[in-house]
Amino acid sequence: MGRRLGRLLRGEAPSPPTTQAKPAAPRDGVADVVADHLDGRTEAVVVLLGSNRPQLLQRLRTLGPGWTVLEVDDTDERACHLELTLAGPVDVVVDRAQPAGRLVRFRDVFFHVRAGGVYVVPGGGTELGPEPGGLGRHLASAAALEAEPLRAPREGTRRVPENIALAIRMHVQARTVGRHLVLSHDLPDVLSKLDEDEADAYLERLGGPHRVLLEIPAETPPDARVITEGPGTRARDMAAPITQAAIRLRDYRDVVVDVEQLVLTDRVVLPDSYRHNQYARLVNRGIIDVSPRLGVPVRPVPDDLPLLEGTYLHLDNEIRGHFGHTLTEVLSRMWSWSAALEIDPDVKVLMTAARVRPELAEWELDFYETCGIPRDRILKLDGAARVERLLSGSPMFSNPQFVHPRILETWDRVGDTLAARASDREWPSRIFIGRRLAKRACLNAEEVEAVFAEYGFEVVYPEDLPLGDQVAMFRAADVVAGYAGSGMFHIAFVPHPLRVIQISSDGYTPRNEVLMSALRGHRIDAVVSAAQAAGVQADFAVDLEREGPYLRSVLEAL
């Protein structure tokens, strides 16, 4: 009866029970659908969404004395997600009987059902009829899509809603049993995505073998009101309050590590997989979302993975080898190296091949040595592997929301080590950080830099200098100006308050420099120009008639 959504079929209502000499127990159509699906199985996990259905609960427990039948409150989406993750893989989910909220419940819960399991919508058969509700319209919209393999390589990337719709188009089957709607899917490797707090709760309730080894409590965040924009502003409030979060070191056993930062168990995508671990929607390009909180790996995990024996520290990054992401995201987890050494003096660091930077560059190895990690302690994976013991520390910095004050210890230690290697020379007091990259280019850079030169700024390109000289140059400056982005990130290594002048488009909304400046006590004046197109990476030009007076007022006030 079940068909992919492109060929939805209606089922016939089940026949009424045959009259017996002794009155039969009252039949519940929903319970019968569940029993027919489980077909004599002695063990199964059955979840009823909501509560206060004692008759259905008792009927199911009578039909399957060995089944685990749970009521899960779906009104708290986060709590429901955690409960279903712990209960899973789930064989059957029975939706609430109320049509209100049916689409939201399907979206949040459906893919918690194992491949071949069923999601029963009581009275939901009308969703496949001529007057469907929100769920039926959602299914029909997905069914109308062109067929396309969910995991097939393609030009560009799909947006998350497109992936979710395609997962329904290609992998969901629907049928009616009597007046009920029964949905199933055939994806065998759906994983729950967990954020930091959910992961802690999950590990605690799981009872092993994974655990949290230590926690650094959250601290009062610095004030982000260190930036002044002009003459216009960006869409994001650059001075919005900075959030706070606790920092953890977790100990995982027998987990899968894959390229581009992925850390997986057979049930979950662990929070160590995400660069932006504070985002409401957790995203890693190695995971295709099939719902907001569930996804499948782009590369299905083989059964016969190689095993890495021993203890490893996870310091991988989804964009490993990019200088800016190293200074922000990788460095923000470097605190965990000393903690890992105390746990196992033989610990090694685990990295993976990035899609555009498959090999570790010399500057990366040099930087990690500066952080205290010998290059012979670093192992780079080219594909997935199972790791006997993986230690992983959560980041102390996550653009755009969060920075933990304890990251100052790392910035000071690494900055001092780098500066000690600097050349013995004089550095200019006013520097302008140039940019050679084609993306996010300032189209009239020569004109802009000429204005700064009038005020005694020397245009420099940090990448032309050794890392130690770069840090020494920033520390020697009184004012650092330049185009927003990774070229400016050395301000994190400057321990004294600094004047910073940032040139960017109104489409560039990352807050890396704001988070650094808020913690260091720097002051940012941002000159905001119109982007030439939509998006963070758009080119722009500084309109010297419109923005020039504001820029000169900032420079005159130095």
Side-chain angles (χ1 to χ4, degrees):
M1 181 75 73
R3 296 291 186 270
R4 296 203 187 281
L5 286 180
R7 302 175 60 195
L8 295 176
L9 297 178
R10 285 188 176 281
E12 299 298 326
S15 302
T18 304
T19 302
Q20 304 290 328
K22 183 178 180 180
R27 293 179 61 83
D28 182 318
V30 171
D32 294 332
V33 172
V34 175
D36 290 345
H37 170 71
L38 294 177
D39 192 24
R41 285 174 51 184
T42 57
E43 295 183 358
V45 177
V46 180
V47 169
L48 308 184
L49 296 184
S51 58
N52 198 29
R53 287 193 276 182
Q55 290 182 334
L56 178 56
L57 187 69
Q58 184 57 46
R59 173 84 170 130
L60 289 170
R61 287 174 173 166
T62 301
L63 288 169
W67 300 346
T68 300
V69 184
L70 306 171
E71 288 185 307
V72 174
D73 182 5
D74 61 282
T75 57
D76 183 334
E77 186 272 332
R78 287 176 59 85
C80 178
H81 179 65
L82 179 60
E83 293 300 325
L84 291 170
T85 301
L86 285 161
V90 178
D91 297 284
V92 178
V93 168
V94 179
D95 189 18
R96 290 173 179 262
Q98 299 88 346
R102 185 177 279 169
L103 173 57
V104 173
R105 293 191 298 272
F106 167 82
R107 181 199 66 188
D108 292 342
V109 173
F110 171 71
F111 278 103
H112 275 287
V113 175
R114 71 162 74 238
V118 294
Y119 183 93
V120 182
V121 184
T126 55
E127 298 287 354
L128 304 187
E131 297 182 0
L135 174 57
R137 291 191 296 271
H138 182 64
L139 297 175
S141 175
L145 295 174
E146 290 293 326
E148 178 185 347
L150 183 64
R151 304 188 227 219
R154 69 194 304 271
E155 290 293 326
T157 57
R158 300 187 202 97
R159 295 182 302 113
V160 169
E162 293 172 333
N163 280 331
I164 292 174
L166 186 61
I168 295 172
R169 166 66 178 86
M170 300 303 297
H171 296 283
V172 174
Q173 300 86 38
R175 60 191 172 100
T176 57
V177 177
R179 61 190 185 87
H180 308 304
L181 173 63
V182 180
L183 298 162
S184 60
H185 71 86
D186 59 7
L187 285 169
D189 54 350
V190 177
L191 303 173
S192 290
K193 302 190 295 181
L194 299 181
D195 65 22
E196 295 280 338
D197 292 334
E198 289 169 335
D200 285 355
Y202 176 76
L203 298 186
E204 181 179 0
R205 291 181 57 184
L206 202 62
H210 321 298
R211 60 193 177 119
V212 178
L213 291 180
L214 66 87
E215 179 174 311
I216 300 173
E219 296 182 14
T220 302
D223 193 330
R225 290 174 296 179
V226 297
I227 184 170
T228 302
E229 294 179 289
T233 60
R234 285 167 271 204
R236 169 176 281 151
D237 180 3
M238 302 300 283
I242 297 170
T243 59
Q244 61 179 347
I247 307 299
R248 293 92 165 179
L249 181 68
R250 299 189 182 91
D251 182 350
Y252 301 123
R253 305 300 177 107
D254 191 30
V255 293
V256 172
V257 172
D258 203 352
V259 297
E260 297 179 326
Q261 201 175 333
L262 282 178
V263 183
L264 315 171
T265 72
D266 61 344
R267 291 284 300 132
V268 305
V269 185
L270 291 161
D272 316 81
S273 304
Y274 305 110
R275 295 188 298 113
H276 298 290
N277 70 329
Q278 302 291 313
Y279 276 13
R281 175 165 286 181
L282 299 169
V283 176
N284 180 301
R285 57 192 179 188
I287 297 294
I288 299 174
D289 287 355
V290 297
S291 81
R293 311 261 274 145
L294 298 155
V296 296
V298 172
R299 300 165 295 276
V301 178
D303 293 329
D304 56 344
L305 287 176
L307 174 66
L308 295 181
E309 297 180 338
T311 305
Y312 291 84
L313 176 66
H314 188 246
L315 285 180
D316 195 30
N317 185 263
E318 189 178 0
I319 312 179
R320 203 224 77 242
H322 183 285
F323 185 74
H325 291 280
T326 299
L327 282 195
T328 53
E329 295 157 1
V330 178
L331 187 59
S332 76
R333 297 165 62 202
M334 201 61 71
W335 68 271
S336 60
W337 171 244
S338 58
L341 282 173
E342 292 182 11
I343 294 165
D344 186 343
D346 296 322
V347 64
K348 293 184 178 180
V349 166
L350 203 55
M351 302 278 189
T352 69
R355 64 180 65 183
V356 296
R357 302 174 186 88
E359 301 301 326
L360 287 161
E362 180 60 29
W363 74 261
E364 289 181 85
L365 296 170
D366 180 52
F367 183 76
Y368 297 139
E369 284 187 318
T370 300
C371 296
I373 303 173
R375 58 183 65 202
D376 63 358
R377 288 287 192 103
I378 298 175
L379 175 66
K380 179 187 68 70
L381 292 175
D382 293 318
R386 194 169 290 279
V387 182
E388 181 181 20
R389 186 184 193 188
L390 186 74
L391 305 178
S392 186
S394 51
M396 290 188 171
F397 185 106
S398 181
N399 169 65
Q401 297 105 327
F402 163 70
V403 62
H404 195 288
R406 289 280 295 276
I407 199 174
L408 285 173
E409 299 170 15
T410 300
W411 288 349
D412 286 343
R413 176 172 53 82
V414 174
D416 290 348
T417 303
L418 287 169
R421 295 163 30 183
S423 304
D424 184 12
R425 55 162 286 187
E426 293 292 323
W427 300 101
S429 62
R430 294 184 175 188
I431 56 175
F432 185 94
I433 309 303
R435 182 178 176 85
R436 294 191 177 108
L437 294 178
K439 70 177 182 180
R440 211 165 65 244
C442 178
L443 301 178
N444 61 336
E446 287 189 12
E447 293 179 272
V448 173
E449 291 162 18
V451 173
F452 278 90
E454 291 178 30
Y455 290 86
F457 283 80
E458 182 175 329
V459 178
V460 297
Y461 296 91
E463 62 268 27
D464 293 341
L465 302 170
L467 282 171
D469 283 5
Q470 294 178 34
V471 172
M473 179 176 65
F474 272 74
R475 287 185 167 189
D478 297 321
V479 188
V480 173
Y483 306 110
S486 58
M488 301 284 282
F489 290 176
H490 286 303
I491 63 175
F493 298 130
V494 179
H496 54 269
L498 189 67
R499 285 296 298 274
V500 178
I501 303 174
Q502 184 191 65
I503 308 296
S504 78
S505 78
D506 53 10
Y508 186 76
T509 55
R511 292 207 302 166
N512 294 293
E513 294 97 322
V514 173
L515 298 177
M516 294 168 181
S517 296
L519 207 51
R520 282 300 195 187
H522 304 331
R523 178 72 205 174
I524 302 175
D525 290 289
V527 180
V528 181
S529 302
Q532 300 285 305
V536 169
Q537 304 294 359
D539 295 342
F540 67 99
V542 177
D543 186 334
L544 293 178
E545 289 190 8
R546 190 178 89 93
E547 290 106 40
Y550 178 77
L551 170 58
R552 289 185 180 276
S553 71
V554 171
L555 294 171
E556 292 284 354
L558 294 176

